[in-house]
Amino acid sequence: VSGHRLLISCRDEIGLVHRITGVLLRGGFNIVGNDEFVDQGAKHFFMRTAFAGPSSTDGLVEALREVLPPEASVWLAPSTARTIVLLATKEAHCLGDLLLRHEEGELAARVAAVVSNHDTLRTLVTRFGIPFHHVPHEGLDRAAHEAAVLDVLAGYAPDLLVLAKYMRVLSAEFVARYPARIINIHHSFLPAFVGARPYHQAFSRGVKIIGATAHIVTDDLDEGPILAQGVLPVTHAHTAADMAQAGRDVEKIVLARGLSLMLDDRVFVKGRRTVVFE
Amino acid sequence: VSGHRLLISCRDEIGLVHRITGVLLRGGFNIVGNDEFVDQGAKHFFMRTAFAGPSSTDGLVEALREVLPPEASVWLAPSTARTIVLLATKEAHCLGDLLLRHEEGELAARVAAVVSNHDTLRTLVTRFGIPFHHVPHEGLDRAAHEAAVLDVLAGYAPDLLVLAKYMRVLSAEFVARYPARIINIHHSFLPAFVGARPYHQAFSRGVKIIGATAHIVTDDLDEGPILAQGVLPVTHAHTAADMAQAGRDVEKIVLARGLSLMLDDRVFVKGRRTVVFE
Amino acid sequence: VSGHRLLISCRDEIGLVHRITGVLLRGGFNIVGNDEFVDQGAKHFFMRTAFAGPSSTDGLVEALREVLPPEASVWLAPSTARTIVLLATKEAHCLGDLLLRHEEGELAARVAAVVSNHDTLRTLVTRFGIPFHHVPHEGLDRAAHEAAVLDVLAGYAPDLLVLAKYMRVLSAEFVARYPARIINIHHSFLPAFVGARPYHQAFSRGVKIIGATAHIVTDDLDEGPILAQGVLPVTHAHTAADMAQAGRDVEKIVLARGLSLMLDDRVFVKGRRTVVFE
Amino acid sequence: VSGHRLLISCRDEIGLVHRITGVLLRGGFNIVGNDEFVDQGAKHFFMRTAFAGPSSTDGLVEALREVLPPEASVWLAPSTARTIVLLATKEAHCLGDLLLRHEEGELAARVAAVVSNHDTLRTLVTRFGIPFHHVPHEGLDRAAHEAAVLDVLAGYAPDLLVLAKYMRVLSAEFVARYPARIINIHHSFLPAFVGARPYHQAFSRGVKIIGATAHIVTDDLDEGPILAQGVLPVTHAHTAADMAQAGRDVEKIVLARGLSLMLDDRVFVKGRRTVVFE
């Protein structure tokens, strides 16, 4: 999409839409799509506006701030493609799917590199001409391993990190370096089956539907705000391994969906919840 | 929901949202939710606004017209519950489901009566204390039968007609009496299996998914703008009768969904397509 | 369906299908459908056979036992319609849906009565000509209330109890009176949101999909073997009350599905899991 | 899966399961899973049996034929991995997805080569180390182009051809060379939107759900027996191009599903319908 995108969130008050659209109108911009939501319980206002017009948006954020409450969050999407780094461990399905989408130009972002704590996926990644960094965790404590990963990341200055089945828990310190900029795929329909081996838990419980959840990573494991979820029917005939196999298709589709929502600037995070304008 | 609802559609031009929200602001109204969509191909603007404030909206439509293109469609939802009449034939599942929802207060409307070309459903309807009109078609040509039905309807002045498995094709003349105010449930995933006996067609074709479609009735059979669709997996083991049985659950849910979208003023009709703000 | 149905489960051993079908063949029966599953982990054999032929099945179970391991479970479905009693509290959607299905002849069972701890649903139930028993719980401890309910139930000798949004937790003693013969609808996608107010939990967690679960009741609350599950997408715009409203449609469909699986003799219970031949 | 798989289909008669399982028992085989279906309308019997035991199945088919009606179809799955060739045109999503699955060992088959009427996908395919054959159709009539393709295929002796968005219609003569051995993905929920540009048709019709269909290729375009179908919700905001983009995810999942069903020997073709034991 050509054009600009604006995300505004603040406490609700009368006249916000009129004031915001007034600023856009005076700037010569035409609104192409507008989504607004007021959380009536929290009295909070969320608005995503896609607009066209002059290519320069210089001064726009400042002009908007003049008509908004002081604490308002105003985000004008950058006009250049964002840089993302993918983190993975040994499983190829999510990673490969994203690399294919990237190669086909489907992702509105540049995949700069892949970082993994194992060397297993090197061949796959290098097939696509993307730098692969093996940062082994053996013999290192979590802090030391994360320092090594952060070191590699620093060289790419990523806008977003995507955990494509990265099977290490990130520390609060790590997450704080990329606040609301790390997305993860959890292989269950959260909050069912938090923690380890969700497909084994699902098998043991005898569920008839399994799922996957893409979420923003916070320092509270498996509790980050949810971006997207998907499900798949299963039967008694699925072993835990069969569920894991079948679940891969949901995982990769849901992760790509969550990433796409982020890259299209469709997501607000508010506490443990998201507002997603689809 | 308390509050007001406004649907505006017109050719797109710069500044529409600002002008419309200016009128609302000057009237002392606060926007609770706002959905806007511009059909870029057709250069057409659609906006649904939910707003709170003064209970009187006197003069509001006129004030809006002053800032809108002359041909704009402006719809301010009435503050009173709408009146609907249900038409049915012999099958009870959609009709019964709507009667239950009505009794529970789930429908934002008053079901004034049921009209049927058979007497089969009289017991069910009268159980719920709703007037039942049997208007038999035997021995009548279509025009005469429709005249008799229209006669009954006239006594209720319905805002909406709901065809709850009414198995008669309506003439263009009949439809013209209730333009964009008749909704139907078709027992297939349109446009697959138009016409008669869709489940037999689905069985014969060996599909793995069946569906149902709620749509606005136009004078072009099975071609009306689509409100909502739903699907259900089937297998080789489903006979056409099994599909019909299984399909009932989708039919009733999808019809209720389509009706609810209409009653919540979430639907614009534009040619053969709808804009539905969910 | 005319014809007979047989459910056999036992430890797996070689030749079981041949022996079982040999008994049926010698009895002059023709197999119409056969589902077999061997749980390879537990080395357990499950088989459901639908068969036609002589109307009498006298001696068949005995003949089967002669060729099966001593501990085998052999269940020959009764040829008469089963009797069910529905338990409810105040919500009408599941109860009303089942009453409609019963009236339409869609349930392969006879609904003998409805029992409720509130009087709210009396009008709805009596509309359908079904006996309604109000067994209030005020002023009674759980044991005393359950004794009163059991007393009413005893008069109907039900084959199955259906908890159609019955909001009381049943004691282990009550459950033991109807082992694997009570089914419940839980208004979440178990095991997410066990316990009270699942829609509030779902809202608070910000999930994007909600669901419902039909399960066999055991004395371990919300942990009974799962019969069927269904889901529904939601967004940030759904309040907990909106989720509850939307969830009703999934609840009633999933409960009816679970009941139908039981009445069609498609369910084996094995520990916390079910084998369901659909 | 280790073990053997047997597909038998013939006119129904009494005693078939007993006779077939008797042959297996005498051969020392143990049944692991058994699915049987009798099409009551057509009086036709379908049975899929997975069984373990001796690694040699010499003489088994002959022994089975002795107890089956003369015209019975008996298929014993080969113990070696099947060879498949993928045909594509310019779109990468289905092809890339299958190549990834193949590399991960997820496909129970060997992808021997990719054939395309364009050179666009050469880089992608050669990344995975798979031979790529560009067989251009420019300047050739259909017969000449197909002869060139068949020539390439002959070198690989494929068991199955997979049309991974191959945008050429195959002649009856071509199809006859690989009867019931070619599978295709059609980018609509068949039979809706047969023929060209289904997403444009879907947009124009204003549907709320789109889909994809994997089917066996016959000489009747878009009418082959259906293996698997999948769907995806869309809204008024989806242009035809957006639908095409969103539809890719369903297409690749459904094609992989259809292929997997074929490779697991879960499919019977009977006229325009399939029997699929999942």
Side-chain angles (χ1 to χ4, degrees), chain A residues 6-257:
Chain A
L6 185 65
L7 299 190
I8 295 176
S9 103
C10 58
R11 66 174 159 74
D12 190 33
E13 58 181 45
I14 197 165
L16 283 171
V17 179
H18 185 62
R19 278 181 263 155
I20 294 165
T21 54
V23 171
L24 290 171
L25 184 61
R26 288 190 291 277
F29 297 104
N30 190 25
I31 295 174
V32 172
N34 198 51
D35 293 288
E36 189 212 343
F37 172 67
V38 176
D39 182 328
Q40 296 292 324
K43 300 290 175 206
H44 207 85
F45 169 91
F46 301 90
M47 178 165 149
R48 177 188 188 269
T49 305
F51 55 103
S55 61
S56 167
T57 53
D58 289 356
L60 182 60
V61 170
E62 293 71 21
L64 286 164
R65 288 206 172 281
E66 285 176 24
V67 306
L68 292 171
E71 89 299 351
S73 157
V74 180
W75 162 257
L76 183 64
S79 58
T80 52
R82 263 149 274 187
T83 296
I84 61 183
V85 171
L86 311 179
L87 282 80
T89 292
K90 289 180 173 176
E91 290 175 89
H93 57 287
C94 286
L95 181 67
D97 188 62
L98 291 176
L99 292 175
L100 273 177
R101 292 176 194 264
H102 182 246
E103 172 146 314
E104 290 308 299
E106 191 185 312
L107 294 185
R110 185 177 68 88
V111 174
V114 174
V115 178
S116 177
N117 55 326
H118 285 273
D119 206 45
T120 315
L121 300 166
R122 179 181 296 277
T123 303
L124 173 67
V125 174
T126 52
R127 281 193 200 289
F128 286 92
I130 305 282
F132 178 85
H133 297 270
H134 177 205
V135 184
H137 64 270
E138 284 86 1
L140 300 180
D141 63 13
R142 190 165 70 165
H145 181 249
E146 288 190 347
V149 171
L150 285 168
D151 212 48
V152 172
L153 294 176
Y156 294 103
D159 297 292
L160 270 184
L161 302 184
V162 179
L163 310 187
K165 304 289 287 180
Y166 182 64
M167 305 308 276
R168 303 270 302 172
V169 176
L170 297 177
S171 70
E173 291 71 32
F174 189 107
V175 173
R177 299 286 288 270
Y178 294 93
R181 289 162 57 199
I182 311 175
I183 74 173
N184 183 43
I185 182 72
H186 182 82
H187 45 309
S188 90
F189 183 73
L190 287 174
F193 311 127
V194 298
R197 306 183 87 211
Y199 292 121
H200 284 81
Q201 294 182 56
F203 172 82
S204 164
R205 182 62 189 85
V207 294
K208 301 303 185 191
I209 298 179
I210 57 172
T213 304
H215 64 93
I216 306 274
V217 177
T218 61
D219 54 7
D220 195 355
L221 182 66
D222 295 342
E223 291 291 324
I226 293 172
L227 294 167
Q229 298 188 291
V231 292
L232 193 72
V234 291
T235 74
H236 59 269
H238 285 78
T239 62
D242 294 335
M243 288 186 188
Q245 172 65 48
R248 289 181 184 182
D249 283 354
V250 187
E251 292 170 19
K252 72 186 184 189
I253 298 297
V254 169
L255 176 59
R257 176 94 193 111

Side-chain angles (χ1 to χ4, degrees), chain B residues 90-93 96-97 100-101 103-104 106 121 123-124 126-129 245 248-250 252-253 256, chain C residues 90-93 96-97 100-101 103-104 106 121 123-124 126-129 245 248-249 252-253 256:
Chain B
K90 289 180 173 177
E91 290 175 88
H93 57 288
D97 187 63
L100 273 178
R101 291 176 194 265
E103 172 146 314
E104 291 307 300
E106 190 185 314
L121 300 166
T123 303
L124 173 66
T126 51
R127 282 194 200 288
F128 286 91
Q245 173 63 50
R248 289 180 183 181
D249 283 353
V250 186
K252 73 185 184 191
I253 299 296
Chain C
K90 288 180 174 177
E91 290 175 88
H93 56 287
D97 187 64
L100 274 178
R101 291 176 195 265
E103 171 145 316
E104 291 307 302
E106 191 185 312
L121 300 167
T123 303
L124 173 67
T126 51
R127 284 194 199 287
F128 287 91
Q245 172 64 48
R248 288 181 184 180
D249 283 353
K252 73 186 184 189
I253 299 296

